[in-house]
Amino acid sequence: MPKSQVRRDQFGGLLRTLRLERRLTQEELAEAAGSSVRGIREMERGRVRSPQRRTVVLLADALRLAGADRDRFVALARVERQPHDRAAVPDDRAVVPDDRVAVPGDRAKVPDDRVPVPHNRPAVVVPGELPTAVPDLAGRAEILERLSALAADVTAGRPDTASVVVLHGPPGIGKTSLAVVAGHRLSPAFAGGQLFVDLQGVSPDGPVDPAEALAGLLRSLGVPDSRVPVSLAERGGLFRTLTRDRALLVVLDNAASEAQVRPLLPAGRGCLALVTCRRPLTGLAGAVRLPLDLLTPAAGRLLLAAIVGADRIAAEPVAADQLVKLCGRLPLAVRIAGNRLASRPQWSVGWLVDLLHDQRQRLTALTAGDLGVRSAFEVSYRQLDPMTARVFRRASLIPGTDFEPALVAAVAGTAEETAAAALEELVEAGVLLTLGDRYQFHDLVRLYAQERLDAEEQQDCRTRAHDQMVAWLLRRTRQAGLMFEPVACRVDSPFDDDRAAAYWLDRESGNWLAALRDAARRGRHADVVAVTRALHWYSDANSHRHSWDEIFSLGVAAARAAGSPRDEAVLLNFLGWARYFCRDRNIDGLAALDRALELARLIGDRREEAWALTYTAAIFIRIGSGVLAVDHCRRAVGLFREIGYALGENGAASVQGGALAALGRFAEAADLHRDVLAFYGHGSGLSRTGAVVARAGAMMSLGADLAGMGQWRAAADEYAHARRLFHRCGATFSEANAIHRYGLALQALGEVDAAAEALGAALALYAALSCPWWEAQTLYALAALAGSAAGGAADARQLRERALDRCGELDAPEVRTLRATLRRELAEF
């Protein structure tokens, strides 16, 4: 028997055995090897008499063969190959040199005159398909540098280098512009050419089919239409073969999904694919994902200047900044605004700013020719399923800048799980931003969502959704506030403890405060009173984090409108505290407390009478009326004791200790404060956070007493301990106050460097909380430290000038005293 006829199916049998051992289908092996399903099938049946060496090597790679197994596999195919077969066209792939275009063929269908012959095949086609790049790209230098570095690694053949980059972001962020500019910049590194495909991922007609895209790519690489395979798998296999040994850049623009992109990725190690998509395409393994951010204000101005002209923008710098802001720093919007200005030289930048200030017209105004912000959002919106579209529309009713799924569920009238899934889908679609577990609209997208809400939902539906949201926010805010009550009714509370409640109140403040204002405007007096009363103990630990003077003012007005003098007295006390303690408005604080005292006595509410006396005493200490303060506190202590309210009694006693210290009676004050500290340490009835804040406050008072007696080290220890407690429960203002006093104690001890460090830390916290009076005091203390150092006169002067500026127009005795001192000292320099 001739050798060529001995066990002619041996290679096919081995191929089938290896494929089954690796649990691969014929389709999967074909895709992995860049072959055709038909070719695999015919080889396994022994009908392919001459599998080509390249095909065999690719199959060995796909089967992950190595060593002796690989050698046997390749050798077996070589043994079976017949001399007369070498010039023929194989069933699965044409034989061409490595630098030629390979075209699949079926000898039964290809005329003899089309059989490719290596020596007369055309040269490799080098495509250059990148569109014209925009000349005015701005704000993307960092990403361009990173892409250049990636391209250098790819073309250098460095191992473990990603060959796929996904540029993703919302509509109008400039993904295509960036990809094209990057493509032109990187093209010299890719001698094999540059391919560009618009995959139309958000087209109303649907995305481009991968098979159709592959046909175009093959044609770009020189494959004639008659040789383009029919199936997706065969086209993909040929594309991978053609790109395996080429340095090729492929830009896949406007992708819809991972499934659309995968078949279009080139196979060569020297190839790089840039994919743009609104979604991050998280299913693409090994890809580098580069999210595109909004333009910085400076980059927005540069883009405007490039379009309109630098002189025109420089002539109206403030208006230019406003224009970039009104465009939401979205590149598409800024470009459209620039184009409108460029086409209308008679317009000033300020005129367009005025036009865009009208939110109802902003999206319409941001249209120029075939460019439009609204149309960019429209294509994404039309692809949403009905529930996701409803969530998108209804979320625009939420007043705050960001929100959580539970709030979206309330406004959309759906389950929280459904809302969460819809929000994630909106993020994937590129029309919603994510901030960890919270979500946020871009300003222009919010306007578009509001347009769709008005257009697609009746007024009664919109009103009902809004009312559901407000009711949910008010209920949740009251539940959170009650977690801080000394004796709280926590039935059915969604919060595990006061820390969880504080976390929610802090993060959701923009929404619950807006709901409170809305309820006040619409006369929901009982709701406003209930919420503002519930927030009192929370406000103690978060004194400078929210606008408590406004919040408690809303409560006072609601109580008065509801005809409830008892609630009004309570809330007037809260308001008096907020005005003096949080805003340093002592006179306004006294006015509110006088009214609270009057109402409490009128209705016989001794508890609120005692609180009004206590808060008034605290203001008297501030304005230098220590004797009056002691008298008020003694009366308050007596009233609290009569009604058996130990918490109030110790609160008033603490203020009384402060009044005694203000009169120089430090030892008496220290005794009182030690008693108060002991009370707070042994079951005061406060919530966990409230007890910590109260203990730390008593330590601060005791520290002041010790400092008054010259015991600076002991005072510093008390301040340091209080600081740690305040920090633990997030009482930032009180923490800053403790650090401030700690720094003063160190200054008195002569530890200058440590004192300066502490005061600097306190200043940073005060500035973050916008506490000008406390900033001024800290700056003045730092000026004293700088003035005592050699060569520090200039620094001391600058610090005094800053302190004088922070005094501003505040009108209180202590402020007036410091202002006069600063002016005198500055005049002496």
Side-chain angles (χ1 to χ4, degrees):
M1 185 181 297
K3 185 177 181 180
S4 61
Q5 296 179 9
V6 175
R7 301 180 64 185
R8 193 178 292 273
D9 65 337
Q10 188 172 7
F11 174 79
L14 178 60
L15 174 63
R16 184 174 186 275
T17 299
L18 292 170
R19 176 177 63 79
L20 294 176
E21 285 177 352
R22 285 151 179 77
R23 298 183 179 180
L24 293 173
T25 65
Q26 290 179 341
E27 290 79 8
E28 290 171 338
L29 179 58
E31 183 175 359
S35 187
S36 66
V37 177
R38 179 175 175 271
I40 299 293
R41 182 171 59 250
E42 297 300 287
M43 279 186 277
E44 289 187 355
R45 291 175 178 176
R47 295 178 181 175
V48 174
R49 300 173 56 192
S50 53
Q52 298 303 309
R53 176 173 174 77
R54 172 178 293 235
T55 301
V56 174
V57 169
L58 292 175
L59 285 169
D61 290 342
L63 293 167
R64 299 181 181 177
L65 296 177
D69 290 340
R70 184 184 183 93
D71 294 340
R72 176 176 175 239
F73 183 83
V74 174
L76 188 59
R78 184 169 59 248
V79 167
E80 292 182 0
R81 190 174 299 121
Q82 298 300 306
H84 67 273
D85 290 330
R86 293 176 184 173
V89 180
D91 290 334
D92 65 313
R93 189 159 310 283
V95 184
V96 295
D98 289 349
D99 60 347
R100 304 293 183 179
V101 175
V103 183
D106 184 337
R107 287 192 296 172
K109 299 180 180 179
V110 181
D112 291 344
D113 60 347
R114 293 189 181 183
V115 174
V117 180
H119 67 269
N120 63 6
R121 291 189 60 80
V124 172
V125 175
V126 180
E129 298 182 344
L130 293 174
T132 302
V134 294
D136 45 28
L137 190 73
R140 304 303 186 201
E142 184 177 341
I143 292 183
L144 285 170
E145 289 177 7
R146 184 166 181 189
L147 290 174
S148 295
L150 280 169
D153 289 343
V154 168
T155 54
R158 292 189 175 90
D160 301 324
T161 298
S163 59
V164 181
V165 178
V166 180
L167 304 172
H168 62 94
I173 202 68
K175 301 179 290 295
T176 299
S177 296
L178 174 60
V180 172
V181 168
H184 281 284
R185 177 177 292 193
L186 302 178
S187 59
F190 295 94
Q194 304 86 44
L195 298 173
F196 181 91
V197 184
D198 182 0
L199 296 175
Q200 301 179 33
V202 291
S203 169
D205 299 326
V208 173
D209 186 271
E212 181 183 343
L214 275 170
L217 289 170
L218 292 172
R219 285 190 290 268
S220 296
L221 293 174
V223 179
D225 287 342
S226 60
R227 299 296 179 88
V228 174
V230 175
S231 73
L232 173 63
E234 290 176 314
R235 290 178 180 181
L238 178 55
F239 179 66
R240 287 188 294 276
T241 297
L242 295 178
T243 58
R244 193 172 299 278
D245 299 317
R246 299 176 67 140
L248 189 70
L249 176 67
V250 181
V251 178
L252 304 173
D253 187 40
N254 200 10
S257 65
E258 294 90 341
Q260 185 192 34
V261 168
R262 284 194 189 98
L264 312 181
L265 298 177
R269 289 188 176 182
C271 297
L272 179 65
L274 296 183
V275 185
T276 72
C277 189
R278 295 185 179 185
R279 305 170 184 267
L281 299 181
T282 53
L284 283 183
V288 172
R289 291 170 183 81
L290 300 179
L292 270 62
D293 293 327
L294 300 172
L295 296 174
T296 64
R301 288 194 301 273
L302 285 175
L303 180 55
L304 280 178
I307 299 171
V308 177
D311 292 343
R312 194 169 169 190
I313 297 303
E316 299 180 80
V318 175
D321 288 345
Q322 291 176 331
L323 182 58
V324 172
K325 183 177 180 180
L326 288 169
C327 290
R329 298 189 284 122
L330 190 70
L332 175 62
V334 176
R335 186 175 297 281
I336 291 172
N339 289 347
R340 295 203 68 182
L341 287 172
S343 64
R344 293 167 176 80
Q346 72 277 13
W347 282 10
S348 68
V349 179
W351 191 91
L352 182 55
V353 167
D354 291 340
L355 181 63
L356 294 181
H357 267 302
D358 185 350
Q359 292 189 359
R360 297 167 299 178
Q361 299 299 320
R362 190 176 302 170
L363 295 181
T364 300
L366 289 174
T367 304
D370 62 350
L371 287 179
V373 172
R374 181 186 284 112
S375 60
F377 302 150
E378 182 80 19
V379 291
S380 288
Y381 177 72
R382 292 306 176 194
Q383 294 181 341
L384 302 176
D385 65 75
M387 176 53 72
T388 304
R390 179 182 184 182
V391 166
F392 175 74
R393 295 190 304 269
R394 295 280 186 92
S396 68
L397 290 169
I398 296 174
T401 57
D402 54 79
F403 40 84
E404 63 175 353
L407 177 55
V408 175
V411 73
T414 187
E416 185 173 344
E417 295 79 6
T418 303
L423 289 169
E424 284 300 310
E425 179 61 27
L426 291 170
V427 171
E428 285 285 303
V431 293
L432 206 61
L433 306 175
T434 180
L435 304 168
D437 59 347
R438 298 180 68 77
Y439 302 86
Q440 185 178 48
F441 277 114
H442 181 274
D443 291 346
L444 297 179
V445 177
R446 181 189 287 272
L447 292 179
Y448 176 75
Q450 290 171 344
E451 282 188 356
R452 300 320 313 155
L453 181 67
D454 292 342
E456 298 182 33
E457 300 198 33
Q458 297 294 326
Q459 179 62 55
D460 60 334
C461 293
R462 301 198 300 269
T463 300
R464 186 163 55 251
H466 174 271
D467 291 348
Q468 288 172 183
M469 174 189 67
V470 170
W472 186 89
L473 281 167
L474 294 178
R475 182 174 62 256
R476 186 63 62 94
T477 304
R478 183 170 181 270
Q479 290 170 328
L482 288 174
M483 295 300 292
F484 295 84
E485 287 283 339
V487 180
C489 178
R490 301 179 182 180
V491 177
D492 297 327
S493 175
F495 303 104
D496 293 333
D497 53 30
D498 52 6
R499 291 183 182 179
Y503 185 69
W504 185 89
L505 286 165
D506 291 347
R507 300 210 316 166
E508 213 68 48
S509 61
N511 292 315
W512 63 254
L513 181 53
L516 191 65
R517 291 167 179 157
D518 182 86
R521 284 193 302 270
R522 299 176 65 186
R524 298 175 60 170
H525 306 310
D527 288 335
V528 174
V529 168
V531 171
T532 52
R533 287 199 60 166
L535 289 170
H536 166 59
W537 289 100
Y538 165 73
S539 70
D540 267 1
N542 299 272
S543 56
H544 288 67
R545 192 165 294 166
H546 307 294
S547 52
W548 294 115
D549 50 343
E550 178 195 0
I551 292 168
F552 293 137
S553 290
L554 292 175
V556 168
R560 188 175 298 139
S564 175
R566 189 176 302 279
D567 287 322
E568 186 179 354
V570 170
L571 288 159
L572 279 167
N573 273 327
F574 298 168
L575 178 59
W577 167 84
R579 285 178 173 174
Y580 87 81
F581 189 78
C582 304
R583 291 291 180 262
D584 299 303
R585 292 164 49 194
N586 297 327
I587 303 304
D588 291 339
L590 283 174
L593 294 169
D594 285 345
R595 176 60 180 159
L597 186 61
E598 179 184 353
L599 273 177
R601 286 172 173 167
L602 182 65
I603 61 177
D605 190 330
R606 289 185 292 172
R607 174 167 159 164
E608 293 311 314
E609 179 184 354
W611 278 124
L613 290 169
T614 303
Y615 290 137
T616 300
I619 297 179
F620 283 161
I621 295 170
R622 285 189 165 203
I623 63 177
S625 301
V627 174
L628 283 174
V630 170
D631 178 65
H632 276 60
C633 286
R634 284 176 176 162
R635 290 158 58 194
V637 167
L639 287 170
F640 281 129
R641 191 171 293 155
E642 284 178 22
I643 61 176
Y645 187 39
L647 186 60
E649 180 182 344
N650 279 272
S654 183
V655 177
Q656 183 179 356
L660 291 171
L663 296 173
R665 296 159 63 179
F666 298 112
E668 294 176 67
D671 289 340
L672 269 177
H673 289 139
R674 287 190 180 98
D675 290 342
V676 171
L677 187 57
F679 169 77
Y680 288 133
H682 296 88
S684 63
L686 287 167
S687 69
R688 179 170 55 182
T689 299
V692 172
V693 170
R695 284 183 59 218
M699 290 174 186
M700 291 284 289
S701 298
L702 179 57
D705 303 334
L706 295 170
M709 292 185 284
Q711 299 176 29
W712 290 106
R713 180 60 63 191
D717 291 343
E718 293 293 336
Y719 294 145
H721 193 181
R723 172 191 181 178
R724 290 191 293 271
L725 292 179
F726 284 134
H727 180 78
R728 193 173 80 194
C729 60
T732 308
F733 172 77
S734 297
E735 180 187 357
N737 211 285
I739 299 172
H740 181 187
R741 294 195 190 182
Y742 178 69
L744 296 178
L746 294 178
Q747 181 182 10
L749 290 167
E751 300 175 17
V752 176
D753 291 342
E757 182 180 356
L759 290 170
L763 181 63
L765 291 178
Y766 285 141
L769 294 170
S770 187
C771 301
W773 166 232
W774 293 95
E775 288 180 67
Q777 295 177 81
T778 310
L779 286 164
Y780 184 59
L782 285 167
L785 287 174
S788 64
D795 290 340
R797 178 178 180 83
Q798 185 182 50
L799 289 164
R800 286 185 174 89
E801 288 173 345
R802 288 175 60 191
L804 183 61
D805 176 70
R806 299 312 291 149
C807 284
E809 300 301 320
L810 292 173
D811 187 22
E814 61 270 34
V815 181
R816 289 194 294 270
T817 299
L818 179 58
R819 188 185 292 119
T821 300
L822 287 166
R823 286 172 175 165
R824 184 182 68 253
E825 292 179 356
L826 286 169
E828 293 173 355
F829 268 90

